[in-house]
Amino acid sequence: MARKYTSKINKIRTFALSLVFVGFIIMYLGLFFRSNMWVMTIFMILGMLSIIASTVVYFWIGMLSTKAVQVICPSCEKPTKILGRVDMCMYCKEPLTLDKNLEGKEFDQDYNRKKMKTK
């Protein structure tokens, strides 16, 4: 089964956005426990912690994004950022690499791991 690849920056941003929605859902669930103040407070605090975690993740990916290498995608000719040895174009999902040894090889995100598997 073929895995669906996306840009690493977009994956992390999607995770941060999902933390916001999960936080709102947790807080909303707390409203069902209005009769028990402690349970409602715990749900509200957990939801707020999820939203704060989202803020931290957004800040972290923003800092990481400023250090990413910006290249022009050869396929769609739009500027995109590369994290690691291999990444995908943010727009057209074209596999990109700056490593000359990986050019022409099949795209695999395992190339970004510190210890590469020998085949």
Side-chain angles (χ1 to χ4, degrees):
M1 182 174 152
R3 293 181 357 195
K4 181 183 172 195
Y5 295 109
T6 60
S7 167
K8 285 187 270 307
I9 292 176
N10 284 346
K11 280 183 188 177
I12 297 170
R13 286 179 180 157
T14 302
F15 173 71
L17 182 63
S18 67
L19 280 176
V20 171
F21 288 117
V22 166
F24 283 133
I25 291 169
I26 291 171
M27 292 170 81
Y28 183 75
L29 290 175
L31 292 177
F32 290 114
F33 298 101
R34 278 186 245 164
S35 59
N36 190 341
M37 190 62 128
W38 288 105
V39 176
M40 185 180 87
T41 303
I42 289 172
F43 273 94
M44 292 296 170
I45 289 172
L46 288 175
M48 195 64 167
L49 287 175
S50 177
I51 293 171
I52 290 170
S54 168
T55 305
V56 170
V57 171
Y58 269 121
F59 179 77
W60 172 67
I61 193 60
M63 291 292 104
L64 196 60
S65 179
T66 61
K67 296 176 185 176
V69 178
Q70 189 171 10
V71 298
I72 302 295
C73 176
S75 182
C76 66
E77 298 182 356
K78 294 182 181 178
T80 188
K81 294 183 179 183
I82 296 179
L83 288 178
R85 294 175 72 196
V86 294
D87 204 355
M88 300 295 274
C89 176
M90 294 173 141
Y91 306 101
C92 68
K93 310 292 187 256
E94 174 79 20
L96 301 171
T97 184
L98 295 175
D99 191 349
K100 299 291 182 193
N101 297 330
L102 298 176
E103 286 182 7
K105 291 186 178 180
E106 185 177 340
F107 181 80
D108 190 2
Q109 287 184 340
D110 290 337
Y111 290 134
N112 289 325
R113 299 193 196 287
K114 296 282 184 195
K115 298 178 182 176
M116 288 184 44
K117 301 175 199 172
T118 57
K119 293 184 181 180

